[in-house]
Amino acid sequence: RRFSKSRVENNMLAITDINPPLDYIGSFTYPQKSILKIKDLLDKNDIGLLLFVFPHGHVVDETEWRIGRLEYGFKIGKVYSNKPHEDLINWAQEQGIITYDLMQKMRETSYEKKLFFDQDGHWTVDGHRVAAESLRDFLLKSALLPYP
């Protein structure tokens, strides 16, 4: 194991462990400030913002990202906490930011298709397809696009 799970500054994925790291709350400060700066800029230019939130493999399914998760101290055969995912979405919605959450669709599909590579945790072709089709369906059903 290469990374400690006691602090986010040492391992950005530590926030998904069952026992939150010591700096859990503080780990959201910089991303939240950055998102708010982007929102402010877009608001000033009358442009909407959609926050697309997607999970890591070890949070989706116990078999996704099988090998790479070990380096970060996560076990194969276990699904980890999506609390940070939910906390980010709740915060964004409190800020009036529209969010799209890919978690449910990824979880539904992961038992049928491999969505993450075993080593590096990036999406496979199927993972990209699920994300793209799911986002497309969301956008087409929403009022976010300027055309039907």
Side-chain angles (χ1 to χ4, degrees):
R1 178 166 101 183
R2 214 170 103 194
F3 299 99
S4 163
K5 290 196 295 186
S6 65
R7 299 188 66 78
V8 176
E9 70 179 346
N10 300 328
N11 175 358
M12 68 178 183
L13 298 177
I15 59 174
T16 61
D17 195 27
I18 301 303
N19 302 311
L22 301 173
D23 54 346
Y24 178 83
I25 299 297
S27 68
F28 287 90
T29 304
Y30 182 75
Q32 288 172 341
K33 284 182 180 179
S34 297
I35 292 168
L36 288 176
K37 284 181 182 180
I38 293 167
K39 182 181 183 309
D40 184 51
L41 176 66
L42 294 174
D43 285 348
K44 287 177 182 173
N45 290 283
D46 199 29
I47 299 171
L49 172 63
L50 170 67
L51 184 63
F52 180 69
V53 183
F54 56 91
H56 291 281
H58 69 295
V59 175
V60 170
D61 178 293
E62 63 274 1
T63 62
E64 294 287 2
W65 188 43
R66 288 178 48 81
I67 308 303
R69 67 169 58 201
L70 297 173
E71 190 172 335
Y72 290 86
F74 298 105
K75 296 177 182 172
I76 296 172
K78 184 175 179 181
V79 177
Y80 286 83
S81 174
N82 68 336
K83 182 179 178 349
H85 188 93
E86 292 171 352
D87 287 348
L88 178 61
I89 290 168
N90 290 335
W91 170 84
Q93 290 173 343
E94 289 169 5
Q95 307 307 310
I97 298 171
I98 299 167
T99 61
Y100 179 69
D101 180 5
L102 190 59
M103 177 73 78
Q104 181 179 343
K105 190 63 176 175
M106 284 275 198
R107 282 188 170 166
E108 290 170 1
T109 311
S110 69
Y111 293 101
E112 303 165 14
K113 300 176 180 177
K114 186 170 190 58
L115 304 177
F116 297 84
F117 287 109
D118 285 339
Q119 289 288 354
D120 65 14
H122 288 93
W123 293 339
T124 61
V125 169
D126 285 328
H128 280 275
R129 185 174 293 113
V130 167
E133 290 174 357
S134 182
L135 181 59
R136 176 203 62 207
D137 293 347
F138 171 78
L139 290 171
L140 290 174
K141 290 176 187 173
S142 75
L144 297 175
L145 298 176
Y147 49 87

